[in-house]
Amino acid sequence: MKALAGVKILDFTHVQSGPTCTQLLAWFGADVIKVERPGVGDITRGQLMDVPGADSLYFTMLNHNKRSITIDSKNKKGIEILERLVKTCDVLVENFAPGALDRMGLTWARIQELNPRMIYASVKGFGPGPYEDCKVYENVAQCTGGSASTTGFRDGPPLVTGAQIGDSGTGLHLALGIVTALYQRTHSGKGQRVTCAMQDGVLNLARVKLRDQQRLAHGPLTEYSQFGEGVPFGDATPRAGNDSGGGQPGRILKCKGWETDPNAYIYFITQAPVWEAICEVIGEPTWKTDPDFATPKARLPRLNQVFGRIEQWTMTKTKFEAMETLNTYDIPCGPILSMKEIAEDQSLRATGTVVEVDHPKRGKYLSVGNPIKMSDSPADVQRSPLLGEHTEEILASVLGYSADEIAELKRVGATAPLPK
């Protein structure tokens, strides 16, 4: 039995932040009923399409293990279906622009009237304040949550990261809020609102930079490269390139083949407990006792020199050769893996982190599986639904509509586009 078996999710989400949340809940066994517009569906079905006539990977990789029902929320009968779903489901999840569900008539007060046990979960761009009605996308969230201003190199512009920390990161935060609310409901018997703002989610993931902002009041950030270079700090946490965000200095270093391979690099951390091993590996045994290098504090002003020497060694090895050698000494490091290398990594296939999924229209494709492994609730990744694929099934088995009633709902345009 899956961890969330028996939990019904009414999924009004679209694009990425909300679908990330509901997909995770579906992987844990919840029955996720994705509500879509008849004839249109989630906008990502048609975005970044690579196979003509098939749902895009943008959609399929965010909507596994769900059922799709098409409902026209502007149709009187469509609203009746939605209200019956509210009465039946445990959780409603949405990431619409502010006020969209209210305009459908599904205000929080109305939802509580229909189902006092309903958990109403929302992703928003900003929390209450001057920006709460503003529309937010992934990169906007990164910029307003403190990530972009602290990402990049000191002499360059702010940068967004390739990881979708604004959308997917917030979706993961919301999923935690939902399961927490479900647990509280077992004691209280009541539903509640659960909200996660994308700005808040990004800031939570960038908390070490807020840590550094406060440390600036007490002196320079000595683990940052600019300290060793004698560059003064300003009044805000600076961009620090590939410096480590922790107390152990780290850098991305070139490996053999870097001239032609854009990913022939390794991340190398000069962890204090293995400093003597590092000195032996790179051929600098005297650094173990040299007062300029023997202690972490002594090394901080000389990090460019230290990593320059380490890079001379890493450039004689491929990134995998370097990692193999360094791991024998317990020196923390990691190769820069391309998406091609990750896609071909058989160990990730074996753990279900990368999965192959078969789709009736686009054929087989790779996707990311559930990153959370549970010993008593293993996740199996099932393909995303076709638009409206489960409409009749849900109307009959979940809501109890008869075959004649289902046909009538379709005829009046509540569940299918009206003929033109």
Side-chain angles (χ1 to χ4, degrees):
M1 182 175 176
K2 296 289 183 66
L4 294 180
V7 174
K8 283 187 169 56
I9 311 288
L10 183 54
D11 183 3
F12 280 101
T13 70
H14 59 292
V15 191
Q16 185 175 171
S17 61
T20 296
C21 169
T22 54
Q23 177 172 255
L24 188 62
L25 300 173
W27 281 337
F28 287 135
D31 180 10
V32 176
I33 299 171
K34 185 176 179 72
V35 178
E36 302 185 77
R37 281 179 58 198
V40 180
D42 189 319
I43 191 173
T44 59
R45 286 184 182 271
Q47 289 184 337
L48 306 178
M49 292 180 69
D50 59 318
V51 176
D55 290 331
S56 72
L57 288 171
Y58 196 1
F59 176 83
T60 62
M61 292 176 69
L62 287 164
N63 289 281
H64 295 117
N65 297 57
K66 303 179 185 181
R67 295 197 284 174
S68 170
I69 182 173
T70 49
I71 303 173
D72 184 353
S73 62
K74 296 180 180 179
N75 183 293
K76 182 180 178 181
K77 289 293 184 181
I79 288 295
E80 289 180 12
I81 299 170
L82 291 177
E83 291 198 341
R84 286 174 70 165
L85 283 168
V86 169
K87 291 178 181 179
T88 304
C89 292
D90 299 283
V91 182
L92 183 155
V93 189
E94 61 91 17
N95 63 327
F96 289 125
L101 273 186
D102 290 356
R103 290 190 291 274
M104 292 183 199
L106 292 177
T107 63
W108 175 228
R110 177 59 176 158
I111 289 170
Q112 287 182 298
E113 180 184 334
L114 293 168
N115 183 355
R117 290 173 56 83
M118 173 65 79
I119 293 160
Y120 178 1
S122 303
V123 170
K124 296 303 174 192
F126 297 97
Y131 307 120
E132 63 183 303
D133 293 327
C134 297
K135 186 179 289 187
V136 175
Y137 288 95
E138 168 66 43
N139 291 347
V140 175
Q142 290 193 32
C143 291
T144 58
S147 175
S149 67
T150 56
T151 301
F153 288 89
R154 189 175 65 249
D155 56 355
L159 294 177
V160 296
T161 174
Q164 303 292 280
I165 61 174
D167 276 323
S168 288
T170 306
L172 296 175
H173 282 90
L174 188 68
L176 176 59
I178 289 169
V179 295
T180 304
L182 282 169
Y183 181 75
Q184 184 174 2
R185 193 180 70 176
T186 65
H187 303 291
S188 69
K190 298 187 300 182
Q192 62 181 295
R193 289 294 305 267
V194 179
T195 304
C196 190
M198 292 172 70
Q199 181 186 39
D200 299 358
V202 170
L203 178 57
N204 187 44
L205 297 175
R207 64 172 55 221
V208 297
K209 300 302 183 179
L210 182 58
R211 172 203 68 192
D212 292 349
Q213 178 63 43
Q214 296 169 87
R215 291 172 58 216
L216 275 174
H218 305 283
L221 306 175
T222 56
E223 78 279 14
Y224 281 49
S225 297
Q226 73 181 77
F227 171 72
E229 295 168 7
V231 178
F233 285 80
D235 60 0
T237 305
R239 292 184 279 282
N242 291 313
D243 290 349
S244 172
Q248 307 289 345
R251 299 271 181 92
I252 289 180
L253 305 176
K254 297 172 183 173
C255 292
K256 182 188 288 185
W258 68 272
E259 300 92 341
T260 56
D261 181 354
N263 294 300
Y265 292 83
I266 193 168
Y267 200 90
F268 192 113
I269 297 175
T270 56
Q271 188 184 31
V274 292
W275 174 246
E276 292 191 3
I278 292 171
C279 294
E280 289 292 338
V281 168
I282 66 173
E284 294 290 349
T286 62
W287 280 8
K288 290 187 284 186
T289 55
D290 187 325
D292 285 345
F293 300 99
T295 66
K297 186 175 181 179
R299 291 191 291 274
L300 286 175
R302 301 172 176 84
L303 288 179
N304 286 346
Q305 183 180 354
V306 169
F307 282 110
R309 178 63 186 92
I310 296 172
E311 189 171 58
Q312 289 177 12
W313 177 82
T314 60
M315 288 171 64
T316 68
K317 311 284 184 184
T318 69
K319 60 189 178 185
F320 297 111
E321 290 170 344
M323 184 178 183
E324 184 176 1
T325 298
L326 296 171
N327 279 340
T328 63
Y329 294 92
D330 207 26
I331 299 169
C333 64
I336 308 305
L337 295 179
S338 69
M339 277 297 161
K340 181 176 185 296
E341 289 168 323
I342 289 172
E344 295 170 353
D345 189 325
Q346 292 306 305
S347 67
L348 295 177
R349 303 283 186 100
T351 60
T353 298
V354 174
V355 295
E356 186 175 77
V357 184
D358 200 2
H359 190 277
K361 290 193 174 182
R362 66 172 302 117
K364 293 182 178 179
Y365 66 93
L366 292 183
S367 189
V368 180
N370 192 343
I372 303 168
K373 319 299 185 189
M374 296 178 65
S375 63
D376 203 35
S377 184
D380 59 314
V381 177
Q382 301 168 12
R383 69 166 177 84
S384 59
L386 302 176
L387 179 60
E389 180 178 353
H390 305 97
T391 300
E392 293 186 8
E393 174 184 299
I394 293 167
L395 290 172
S397 65
V398 177
L399 300 180
Y401 283 97
S402 69
D404 288 344
E405 289 173 323
I406 292 171
E408 178 63 12
L409 290 171
K410 183 176 181 180
R411 187 189 69 80
V412 299
T415 59
L418 290 169
K420 294 182 179 180

